[in-house]
Amino acid sequence: YDLCVKTLRLCAFEHYVDCPFREQGLYTYDSRNQMLSGYYAFEGYEYAYSNLKLLSMDRRADGLMSITVPSKLRTAIPAYSLYYLLQVREYLEHSGATSLDDSIVQKLHEVISVFHERKKGGLICNFKGIDYWNFYDWSDNLNGYGANRDHDGEPDLNVNCLYVMAMEDYRKICRITGVTPVVTDDLDEIRKEVFSAYDDEEDGLLSLYAGQKIYTQFSNSLAVLSGCALDRAAEVCKKMTEGKTSECSLSMKPFYYDALLKTEAGYDALVLAKISKNYGYMLK
């Protein structure tokens, strides 16, 4: 425990950094994991909030968030902008706060609007161009390189599930803070569209791209958490535990564990065992 807290503290400069030596950048998703750990390790919220404020000050013409903040790089990881809504919602729930700085509220409005406007045929399309890196995870088919580039600008399972999750977070944030939402969506309709586009009834899983059999642990976990797996959620989780999908990296495992626990199918012991094996190995 002491080693883990020390490691987390070493990553806390005036903002959270990817790691204290090699890459001292503030990422939305990376800092999400750090903030969640910090709420328990440090029993405070001001530092996390200062990170959220710094992230909200990022300015891009396209409304997305830069790859790291602060940064003058033109590159953006579109999916990472959606994690910002997750971070803010978790901050409110852990801290009990009921208000947010205007800069944070405006950034929330901005990000959700950007993705809302990319809806075509009921699905959210990803981004295309030299400034966009459609990265999801350092694992098979998700790193945004190689063959994945062929799908730039198209809808995929990940961005649609993340949008549904972000929209749910957005609604909760607006409800807690009394802010009027600038975007509304029928999420049940989107879930149906997503399931129809990516479900493979034969294999009992959802594919990363429509009409292909690319099953990743990360994508299917998002499908369960977002509700896009519909009534197939329990089957999807079972398939994942049986190794029917490619594995996601350690930093993305929380989505996998949360998906298993959401099904309430007695996965508690399995999740704890996997955490002990995967992360305990590093400590040893």
Side-chain angles (χ1 to χ4, degrees):
Y1 178 85
D2 291 342
L3 177 59
C4 291
V5 172
K6 182 178 181 180
T7 301
L8 183 62
R9 194 178 294 279
L10 286 172
C11 291
F13 290 16
E14 48 81 41
H15 61 263
Y16 271 125
V17 296
D18 191 50
C19 56
F21 174 70
R22 177 181 170 273
E23 189 173 353
Q24 299 172 2
L26 172 61
Y27 290 83
T28 49
Y29 181 72
D30 303 55
S31 61
R32 181 255 175 159
N33 283 345
Q34 292 167 314
M35 288 179 193
L36 280 180
S37 299
Y39 294 146
Y40 297 95
F42 305 142
E43 299 181 349
Y45 310 100
E46 290 184 11
Y47 181 70
Y49 191 61
S50 71
N51 281 258
L52 295 175
K53 286 174 64 176
L54 178 57
L55 287 165
S56 75
M57 296 174 190
D58 183 55
R59 295 290 179 268
R60 289 174 58 95
D62 58 13
L64 293 175
M65 304 179 81
S66 299
I67 186 169
T68 60
V69 179
S71 174
K72 290 184 178 180
L73 295 175
R74 294 172 54 187
T75 306
I77 302 177
Y80 272 43
S81 293
L82 293 172
Y83 292 130
Y84 185 63
L85 288 92
L86 172 63
Q87 288 178 278
V88 174
R89 190 263 297 167
E90 289 175 335
Y91 162 77
L92 290 173
E93 292 183 344
H94 281 272
S95 69
T98 56
S99 63
L100 296 166
D101 279 26
D102 287 343
S103 65
I104 295 178
V105 173
Q106 291 307 310
K107 180 57 70 175
L108 296 170
H109 289 330
E110 195 173 61
V111 168
I112 204 68
S113 297
V114 169
F115 285 88
H116 174 77
E117 292 164 4
R118 296 193 61 78
K119 191 190 303 180
K120 293 181 181 178
L123 296 173
I124 307 297
C125 294
N126 224 317
F127 292 74
K128 185 175 184 177
I130 193 171
D131 294 341
Y132 305 112
W133 178 24
N134 292 309
F135 170 86
Y136 294 111
D137 187 23
W138 289 116
S139 59
D140 293 343
N141 296 299
L142 297 177
N143 63 17
Y145 293 122
N148 297 118
R149 282 287 189 186
D150 297 336
H151 297 277
D152 281 1
E154 299 177 5
D156 63 39
L157 178 59
N158 295 340
V159 72
N160 280 276
C161 291
L162 286 170
Y163 176 76
V164 170
M165 293 166 66
M167 181 58 79
E168 287 186 321
D169 290 329
Y170 180 64
R171 288 177 176 177
K172 291 176 182 177
I173 293 167
C174 290
R175 186 165 59 248
I176 292 171
T177 61
V179 170
T180 302
V182 299
V183 174
T184 58
D185 249 321
D186 188 333
L187 296 186
D188 286 336
E189 282 302 312
I190 296 179
R191 291 185 180 103
K192 292 175 184 176
E193 290 283 353
V194 173
F195 184 78
S196 176
Y198 302 105
D199 176 58
D200 190 317
E201 186 174 0
E202 180 182 0
D203 293 331
L205 290 161
L206 281 77
S207 176
L208 175 59
Y209 302 117
Q212 301 186 30
K213 292 179 177 291
I214 302 176
Y215 309 126
T216 76
Q217 192 176 77
F218 175 69
S219 307
N220 279 271
S221 296
L222 293 184
V224 171
L225 292 174
S226 64
C228 290
L230 301 185
D231 59 358
R232 199 187 293 282
E235 182 182 358
V236 167
C237 285
K238 185 173 185 294
K239 295 281 185 180
M240 288 194 291
T241 62
E242 293 172 346
K244 304 297 184 182
T245 62
S246 60
E247 293 272 333
C248 62
S249 69
L250 291 182
S251 69
M252 294 298 178
K253 286 292 185 184
F255 286 123
Y256 173 49
Y257 300 147
D258 283 344
L260 294 182
L261 296 174
K262 184 178 180 180
T263 64
E264 299 181 4
Y267 286 115
D268 304 53
L270 175 65
V271 169
L272 289 173
K274 287 182 177 295
I275 289 173
S276 178
K277 178 182 178 181
N278 291 330
Y279 302 94
Y281 176 81
M282 291 189 289
L283 291 176
K284 291 177 183 178

